[in-house]
Amino acid sequence: MRKSIYQLTLSQVTKSSGLFYALTIACVLMGFTACGGEDGNGGGSTSSSSSSSPSSSSSTVTSLYQLTTFPIGVAVPASNWNNSIIDSPERQQIAKTHFSQLSAENIMKPSYLHPQENTYFWDDADELIDYADANGMSMHGHVLIWHKQLADWMINFNGADAAAWNTMMVDHITTVADHFAGHLQSWDVVNEAFTDGTTSSYRSSIWYDNIGEDFLANAFTAARAEDPNVDLYYNDYGISGDPDKLAMVLSMVDNFQTNAVPIDGVGFQMHIDMYWPAIATIQDSFQEVVDRGLKVKISELDIDIGTETPDADDYQAQATRFQEVVAAYVNTVPAAQRGGITVWGITDSDSWRSEVHPLLFYGDFSPKPALDGFAAGLEE
Ligand code: XIL
């Protein structure tokens, strides 16, 4: 039986390295699922044994998003995906309490929205947007153009030439951006167009291979044409710790700005680990985008804890890492250029890399020390 989240709590709070650690002997706010289970872990009905909480799991954080003015987002499974937020009271409670923005983890990707050349499927994405609207949350659109999770018909498209491929790409963007116009705060227009490291270059994809580098500018221009107010992002992984790859992104940005191609921001996915990238490198990377007058969004944050069998010290170290990353963002990106911070999932069990326990909540929905670390970073 779940208990009220307003249940009186008794917490012993210590402050260490700027981070609040709480040891709770009763049930705390948002530790609600840790209250009722016979095992002390709450027994969330869809919880995974791979990510149960220590019995002392608790948090002093009552609401992440209320600690700041920029969007604090979370990617959610939706529709009939395993652990969809639509069917999960526990996920809904966490989302409403801590997050002011949602990203669709999968259902707005081309393979789901545009399964056949002449068939679009809106129901699931519309349902999620309605849910966000009803609960006062904004939506970040993910993703218009990517080399993965494409529809088979796109991969097999028999375009005669670059112009035919460009028309196909623009038709997709135009139809999708038009459908959602006015309902989204921002779009990932293009995702992961560059390769990694010192040899960073354009990534081979159906888009680059068939259209050439112009596909990037064409995609942004098409998205802007359908929605004058939505923020348009280029999104990629690794760019907070890979200066060569970031340089490719920045040269695209510079080229866009020279040629009046619309772009509002750069999304740093930040699927990172405990040591990489160094905080100084993260700050330098954000600064490059800030210097160009664009918004910076941490779009898919999760942090590999470094072991598949973490102990209490590992969870505390991960909390410190979350704190440092969030503080780096707040301290480097001016308020007007903060597109927000989104974590890539609610619980460790939901995560696309659940084996490395990278998120803010345990599989039983109780809060990890990482939640306190994230909050402490916002308050620096
Ligand atoms: C991932 C989802 O989390 C998984 O459920 C899916 O199987 C694959 O895609 N970069 C992105 C996201 O931009 O779309 C990816 O999401 C994670 C990496």
Side-chain angles (χ1 to χ4, degrees):
M1 187 70 75
R2 195 189 311 150
K3 297 178 184 174
S4 163
I5 63 170
Y6 296 109
Q7 201 155 18
L8 187 64
T9 67
L10 291 169
S11 299
Q12 177 187 342
V13 180
T14 59
K15 192 176 186 187
S16 173
S17 306
L19 179 63
F20 287 99
Y21 300 143
L23 174 62
T24 304
I25 50 178
C27 190
V28 297
L29 187 67
M30 277 321 296
F32 60 98
T33 56
C35 304
E38 289 175 2
D39 59 359
N41 289 340
S45 59
T46 55
S47 71
S48 157
S49 59
S50 70
S51 182
S52 60
S53 63
S55 56
S56 62
S57 172
S58 63
S59 173
T60 56
V61 180
T62 55
S63 170
L64 268 190
Y65 81 84
Q66 288 180 8
L67 296 173
T68 189
T69 52
F70 59 81
I72 302 294
V74 62
V76 290
S79 174
N80 58 357
W81 279 70
N82 191 30
N83 299 330
S84 166
I85 190 172
I86 298 297
D87 303 318
S88 169
E90 294 92 345
R91 286 178 184 77
Q92 292 185 7
Q93 182 62 47
I94 290 174
K96 286 188 277 194
T97 302
H98 290 291
F99 298 101
S100 57
Q101 184 172 84
L102 299 179
S103 292
E105 186 178 1
N106 285 296
I107 60 168
M108 291 175 73
K109 293 169 178 173
S111 51
Y112 304 100
L113 283 186
H114 196 175
Q116 308 290 335
E117 186 164 5
N118 297 311
T119 307
Y120 286 85
F121 175 73
W122 308 115
D123 294 5
D124 293 344
D126 287 351
E127 182 180 39
L128 186 62
I129 288 173
D130 287 347
Y131 176 79
D133 275 351
N135 290 286
M137 294 181 249
S138 60
M139 279 290 306
H140 174 71
H142 177 78
V143 51
L144 287 168
I145 294 297
W146 192 23
H147 63 283
K148 291 183 176 169
Q149 290 177 278
L150 294 163
D152 286 345
W153 74 266
M154 287 179 170
I155 296 166
N156 299 322
F157 184 69
N158 195 17
D161 53 17
W165 275 89
N166 192 64
T167 299
M168 183 271 272
M169 180 188 78
V170 168
D171 279 351
H172 172 76
I173 294 171
T174 300
T175 308
V176 174
D178 176 57
H179 179 83
F180 295 115
H183 297 285
L184 305 181
Q185 179 146 346
S186 42
W187 262 120
D188 289 330
V189 180
V190 178
N191 199 25
E192 303 180 356
F194 300 103
T195 59
D196 307 336
T198 52
T199 58
S200 181
S201 181
Y202 292 101
R203 177 189 300 282
S204 174
S205 69
I206 61 167
W207 314 114
Y208 177 71
D209 297 347
N210 290 292
I211 302 171
E213 64 189 75
D214 283 351
F215 91 87
L216 287 154
N218 296 350
F220 279 80
T221 301
R224 170 60 73 235
E226 299 309 314
D227 191 340
N229 300 317
V230 72
D231 281 342
L232 304 178
Y233 281 87
Y234 174 79
N235 194 53
D236 215 329
Y237 69 87
I239 53 176
S240 62
D242 182 342
D244 297 301
K245 184 175 185 180
L246 180 63
M248 286 298 290
V249 174
L250 295 171
S251 94
M252 177 201 74
V253 166
D254 293 342
N255 184 39
F256 278 14
Q257 293 187 324
T258 303
N259 294 293
V261 176
I263 183 169
D264 299 288
V266 173
F268 292 75
Q269 290 184 10
M270 298 196 73
H271 301 292
I272 60 174
D273 66 31
M274 296 291 288
Y275 303 102
W276 184 90
I279 293 296
T281 312
I282 294 172
Q283 286 180 313
D284 289 349
S285 305
F286 291 164
Q287 189 65 50
E288 292 279 4
V289 175
V290 168
D291 289 346
R292 285 163 173 80
L294 295 186
K295 292 184 179 174
V296 174
K297 188 175 183 72
I298 299 180
S299 55
E300 304 183 13
L301 181 61
D302 54 23
I303 301 180
D304 175 346
I305 202 167
T307 171
E308 293 187 18
T309 52
D311 60 20
D313 289 345
D314 295 317
Y315 285 120
Q316 294 298 352
Q318 186 188 44
T320 301
R321 180 73 166 148
F322 266 100
Q323 178 182 352
E324 290 172 353
V325 169
V326 171
Y329 180 81
V330 173
N331 293 329
T332 309
V333 183
Q337 288 170 266
R338 293 177 192 152
I341 303 178
T342 289
V343 289
W344 203 245
I346 294 178
T347 75
D348 282 348
S349 303
D350 291 345
S351 170
W352 70 309
R353 42 185 204 154
S354 59
E355 69 282 1
V356 292
H357 309 263
L359 295 172
L360 305 181
F361 292 85
Y362 296 106
D364 66 3
F365 307 108
S366 61
K368 294 169 60 184
L371 180 69
D372 296 71
F374 194 120
L378 288 175
E379 289 175 318
E380 275 189 27

PDB file of all heavy atoms in Angstrom, residues 324-345:
ATOM      1  N   GLU A 324      28.392  18.138 -10.326  1.00  0.00           N
ATOM      2  CA  GLU A 324      29.428  18.892 -11.042  1.00  0.00           C
ATOM      3  C   GLU A 324      29.007  19.204 -12.481  1.00  0.00           C
ATOM      4  O   GLU A 324      29.297  20.293 -12.996  1.00  0.00           O
ATOM      5  CB  GLU A 324      30.744  18.102 -11.012  1.00  0.00           C
ATOM      6  CG  GLU A 324      31.355  18.063  -9.622  1.00  0.00           C
ATOM      7  CD  GLU A 324      32.547  17.127  -9.510  1.00  0.00           C
ATOM      8  OE1 GLU A 324      32.847  16.388 -10.485  1.00  0.00           O
ATOM      9  OE2 GLU A 324      33.163  17.114  -8.425  1.00  0.00           O
ATOM     10  N   VAL A 325      28.353  18.254 -13.115  1.00  0.00           N
ATOM     11  CA  VAL A 325      27.924  18.482 -14.504  1.00  0.00           C
ATOM     12  C   VAL A 325      26.843  19.566 -14.552  1.00  0.00           C
ATOM     13  O   VAL A 325      26.892  20.485 -15.383  1.00  0.00           O
ATOM     14  CB  VAL A 325      27.417  17.163 -15.136  1.00  0.00           C
ATOM     15  CG1 VAL A 325      26.724  17.426 -16.463  1.00  0.00           C
ATOM     16  CG2 VAL A 325      28.580  16.188 -15.313  1.00  0.00           C
ATOM     17  N   VAL A 326      25.870  19.465 -13.663  1.00  0.00           N
ATOM     18  CA  VAL A 326      24.792  20.461 -13.647  1.00  0.00           C
ATOM     19  C   VAL A 326      25.357  21.839 -13.287  1.00  0.00           C
ATOM     20  O   VAL A 326      25.006  22.858 -13.896  1.00  0.00           O
ATOM     21  CB  VAL A 326      23.669  20.029 -12.676  1.00  0.00           C
ATOM     22  CG1 VAL A 326      22.653  21.143 -12.485  1.00  0.00           C
ATOM     23  CG2 VAL A 326      22.988  18.762 -13.195  1.00  0.00           C
ATOM     24  N   ALA A 327      26.267  21.879 -12.321  1.00  0.00           N
ATOM     25  CA  ALA A 327      26.886  23.158 -11.939  1.00  0.00           C
ATOM     26  C   ALA A 327      27.689  23.738 -13.101  1.00  0.00           C
ATOM     27  O   ALA A 327      27.686  24.961 -13.324  1.00  0.00           O
ATOM     28  CB  ALA A 327      27.771  22.970 -10.710  1.00  0.00           C
ATOM     29  N   ALA A 328      28.367  22.874 -13.854  1.00  0.00           N
ATOM     30  CA  ALA A 328      29.137  23.350 -15.014  1.00  0.00           C
ATOM     31  C   ALA A 328      28.207  24.044 -16.008  1.00  0.00           C
ATOM     32  O   ALA A 328      28.552  25.079 -16.594  1.00  0.00           O
ATOM     33  CB  ALA A 328      29.857  22.182 -15.689  1.00  0.00           C
ATOM     34  N   TYR A 329      27.039  23.468 -16.185  1.00  0.00           N
ATOM     35  CA  TYR A 329      26.045  24.060 -17.102  1.00  0.00           C
ATOM     36  C   TYR A 329      25.592  25.421 -16.581  1.00  0.00           C
ATOM     37  O   TYR A 329      25.632  26.433 -17.297  1.00  0.00           O
ATOM     38  CB  TYR A 329      24.857  23.110 -17.224  1.00  0.00           C
ATOM     39  CG  TYR A 329      23.756  23.591 -18.136  1.00  0.00           C
ATOM     40  CD1 TYR A 329      23.856  23.445 -19.515  1.00  0.00           C
ATOM     41  CD2 TYR A 329      22.606  24.186 -17.626  1.00  0.00           C
ATOM     42  CE1 TYR A 329      22.851  23.882 -20.356  1.00  0.00           C
ATOM     43  CE2 TYR A 329      21.597  24.625 -18.455  1.00  0.00           C
ATOM     44  CZ  TYR A 329      21.721  24.469 -19.819  1.00  0.00           C
ATOM     45  OH  TYR A 329      20.718  24.915 -20.651  1.00  0.00           O
ATOM     46  N   VAL A 330      25.171  25.457 -15.329  1.00  0.00           N
ATOM     47  CA  VAL A 330      24.631  26.693 -14.760  1.00  0.00           C
ATOM     48  C   VAL A 330      25.704  27.792 -14.734  1.00  0.00           C
ATOM     49  O   VAL A 330      25.415  28.965 -14.992  1.00  0.00           O
ATOM     50  CB  VAL A 330      24.080  26.431 -13.343  1.00  0.00           C
ATOM     51  CG1 VAL A 330      23.670  27.727 -12.669  1.00  0.00           C
ATOM     52  CG2 VAL A 330      22.900  25.470 -13.403  1.00  0.00           C
ATOM     53  N   ASN A 331      26.931  27.396 -14.453  1.00  0.00           N
ATOM     54  CA  ASN A 331      27.994  28.396 -14.322  1.00  0.00           C
ATOM     55  C   ASN A 331      28.574  28.861 -15.652  1.00  0.00           C
ATOM     56  O   ASN A 331      29.252  29.875 -15.711  1.00  0.00           O
ATOM     57  CB  ASN A 331      29.125  27.837 -13.434  1.00  0.00           C
ATOM     58  CG  ASN A 331      28.665  27.652 -11.999  1.00  0.00           C
ATOM     59  OD1 ASN A 331      27.812  28.389 -11.526  1.00  0.00           O
ATOM     60  ND2 ASN A 331      29.210  26.655 -11.321  1.00  0.00           N
ATOM     61  N   THR A 332      28.319  28.123 -16.728  1.00  0.00           N
ATOM     62  CA  THR A 332      28.903  28.469 -18.026  1.00  0.00           C
ATOM     63  C   THR A 332      27.876  29.094 -18.969  1.00  0.00           C
ATOM     64  O   THR A 332      28.229  29.965 -19.777  1.00  0.00           O
ATOM     65  CB  THR A 332      29.489  27.201 -18.709  1.00  0.00           C
ATOM     66  OG1 THR A 332      30.332  26.532 -17.789  1.00  0.00           O
ATOM     67  CG2 THR A 332      30.286  27.582 -19.952  1.00  0.00           C
ATOM     68  N   VAL A 333      26.652  28.641 -18.897  1.00  0.00           N
ATOM     69  CA  VAL A 333      25.653  29.086 -19.870  1.00  0.00           C
ATOM     70  C   VAL A 333      24.811  30.206 -19.247  1.00  0.00           C
ATOM     71  O   VAL A 333      24.141  29.988 -18.234  1.00  0.00           O
ATOM     72  CB  VAL A 333      24.742  27.906 -20.286  1.00  0.00           C
ATOM     73  CG1 VAL A 333      23.759  28.361 -21.357  1.00  0.00           C
ATOM     74  CG2 VAL A 333      25.581  26.726 -20.780  1.00  0.00           C
ATOM     75  N   PRO A 334      24.833  31.395 -19.841  1.00  0.00           N
ATOM     76  CA  PRO A 334      24.007  32.488 -19.303  1.00  0.00           C
ATOM     77  C   PRO A 334      22.519  32.126 -19.352  1.00  0.00           C
ATOM     78  O   PRO A 334      22.081  31.358 -20.219  1.00  0.00           O
ATOM     79  CB  PRO A 334      24.300  33.663 -20.250  1.00  0.00           C
ATOM     80  CG  PRO A 334      25.533  33.290 -20.988  1.00  0.00           C
ATOM     81  CD  PRO A 334      25.578  31.793 -21.038  1.00  0.00           C
ATOM     82  N   ALA A 335      21.763  32.715 -18.456  1.00  0.00           N
ATOM     83  CA  ALA A 335      20.349  32.336 -18.314  1.00  0.00           C
ATOM     84  C   ALA A 335      19.596  32.370 -19.642  1.00  0.00           C
ATOM     85  O   ALA A 335      18.813  31.469 -19.949  1.00  0.00           O
ATOM     86  CB  ALA A 335      19.669  33.240 -17.290  1.00  0.00           C
ATOM     87  N   ALA A 336      19.840  33.399 -20.449  1.00  0.00           N
ATOM     88  CA  ALA A 336      19.076  33.553 -21.692  1.00  0.00           C
ATOM     89  C   ALA A 336      19.416  32.472 -22.719  1.00  0.00           C
ATOM     90  O   ALA A 336      18.691  32.303 -23.707  1.00  0.00           O
ATOM     91  CB  ALA A 336      19.340  34.925 -22.297  1.00  0.00           C
ATOM     92  N   GLN A 337      20.518  31.760 -22.510  1.00  0.00           N
ATOM     93  CA  GLN A 337      20.946  30.748 -23.479  1.00  0.00           C
ATOM     94  C   GLN A 337      20.779  29.319 -22.949  1.00  0.00           C
ATOM     95  O   GLN A 337      21.296  28.378 -23.528  1.00  0.00           O
ATOM     96  CB  GLN A 337      22.394  31.002 -23.891  1.00  0.00           C
ATOM     97  CG  GLN A 337      22.534  32.224 -24.799  1.00  0.00           C
ATOM     98  CD  GLN A 337      23.979  32.628 -25.020  1.00  0.00           C
ATOM     99  OE1 GLN A 337      24.514  33.495 -24.314  1.00  0.00           O
ATOM    100  NE2 GLN A 337      24.633  32.010 -25.994  1.00  0.00           N
ATOM    101  N   ARG A 338      20.046  29.164 -21.867  1.00  0.00           N
ATOM    102  CA  ARG A 338      19.843  27.830 -21.296  1.00  0.00           C
ATOM    103  C   ARG A 338      18.604  27.178 -21.897  1.00  0.00           C
ATOM    104  O   ARG A 338      17.476  27.548 -21.577  1.00  0.00           O
ATOM    105  CB  ARG A 338      19.697  27.912 -19.770  1.00  0.00           C
ATOM    106  CG  ARG A 338      20.964  28.338 -19.076  1.00  0.00           C
ATOM    107  CD  ARG A 338      20.738  28.462 -17.575  1.00  0.00           C
ATOM    108  NE  ARG A 338      21.872  29.138 -16.954  1.00  0.00           N
ATOM    109  CZ  ARG A 338      21.796  29.862 -15.836  1.00  0.00           C
ATOM    110  NH1 ARG A 338      20.632  29.991 -15.209  1.00  0.00           N
ATOM    111  NH2 ARG A 338      22.870  30.449 -15.347  1.00  0.00           N
ATOM    112  N   GLY A 339      18.840  26.199 -22.740  1.00  0.00           N
ATOM    113  CA  GLY A 339      17.712  25.446 -23.302  1.00  0.00           C
ATOM    114  C   GLY A 339      17.190  24.406 -22.345  1.00  0.00           C
ATOM    115  O   GLY A 339      16.125  23.839 -22.557  1.00  0.00           O
ATOM    116  N   GLY A 340      17.967  24.119 -21.304  1.00  0.00           N
ATOM    117  CA  GLY A 340      17.510  23.184 -20.290  1.00  0.00           C
ATOM    118  C   GLY A 340      18.379  21.944 -20.193  1.00  0.00           C
ATOM    119  O   GLY A 340      19.326  21.757 -20.961  1.00  0.00           O
ATOM    120  N   ILE A 341      18.041  21.136 -19.213  1.00  0.00           N
ATOM    121  CA  ILE A 341      18.741  19.860 -18.991  1.00  0.00           C
ATOM    122  C   ILE A 341      17.690  18.755 -18.959  1.00  0.00           C
ATOM    123  O   ILE A 341      16.739  18.820 -18.176  1.00  0.00           O
ATOM    124  CB  ILE A 341      19.519  19.851 -17.665  1.00  0.00           C
ATOM    125  CG1 ILE A 341      20.521  21.015 -17.608  1.00  0.00           C
ATOM    126  CG2 ILE A 341      20.229  18.512 -17.482  1.00  0.00           C
ATOM    127  CD1 ILE A 341      21.299  21.103 -16.289  1.00  0.00           C
ATOM    128  N   THR A 342      17.881  17.760 -19.808  1.00  0.00           N
ATOM    129  CA  THR A 342      16.983  16.601 -19.864  1.00  0.00           C
ATOM    130  C   THR A 342      17.759  15.343 -19.524  1.00  0.00           C
ATOM    131  O   THR A 342      18.846  15.122 -20.058  1.00  0.00           O
ATOM    132  CB  THR A 342      16.361  16.485 -21.273  1.00  0.00           C
ATOM    133  OG1 THR A 342      15.423  17.544 -21.452  1.00  0.00           O
ATOM    134  CG2 THR A 342      15.650  15.151 -21.468  1.00  0.00           C
ATOM    135  N   VAL A 343      17.199  14.531 -18.635  1.00  0.00           N
ATOM    136  CA  VAL A 343      17.786  13.213 -18.366  1.00  0.00           C
ATOM    137  C   VAL A 343      17.079  12.171 -19.231  1.00  0.00           C
ATOM    138  O   VAL A 343      15.882  12.274 -19.492  1.00  0.00           O
ATOM    139  CB  VAL A 343      17.714  12.837 -16.865  1.00  0.00           C
ATOM    140  CG1 VAL A 343      18.677  13.677 -16.050  1.00  0.00           C
ATOM    141  CG2 VAL A 343      16.307  12.951 -16.316  1.00  0.00           C
ATOM    142  N   TRP A 344      17.876  11.157 -19.627  1.00  0.00           N
ATOM    143  CA  TRP A 344      17.358  10.225 -20.638  1.00  0.00           C
ATOM    144  C   TRP A 344      16.672   9.022 -19.992  1.00  0.00           C
ATOM    145  O   TRP A 344      17.091   7.869 -20.139  1.00  0.00           O
ATOM    146  CB  TRP A 344      18.483   9.789 -21.596  1.00  0.00           C
ATOM    147  CG  TRP A 344      17.937   9.317 -22.911  1.00  0.00           C
ATOM    148  CD1 TRP A 344      18.016   8.061 -23.432  1.00  0.00           C
ATOM    149  CD2 TRP A 344      17.217  10.100 -23.883  1.00  0.00           C
ATOM    150  NE1 TRP A 344      17.377   8.009 -24.654  1.00  0.00           N
ATOM    151  CE2 TRP A 344      16.883   9.248 -24.953  1.00  0.00           C
ATOM    152  CE3 TRP A 344      16.827  11.442 -23.939  1.00  0.00           C
ATOM    153  CZ2 TRP A 344      16.169   9.691 -26.073  1.00  0.00           C
ATOM    154  CZ3 TRP A 344      16.120  11.880 -25.052  1.00  0.00           C
ATOM    155  CH2 TRP A 344      15.802  11.001 -26.096  1.00  0.00           C
ATOM    156  N   GLY A 345      15.608   9.328 -19.267  1.00  0.00           N
ATOM    157  CA  GLY A 345      14.809   8.272 -18.650  1.00  0.00           C
ATOM    158  C   GLY A 345      14.548   8.577 -17.189  1.00  0.00           C
ATOM    159  O   GLY A 345      15.208   9.426 -16.590  1.00  0.00           O
TER     160      GLY A 345
END
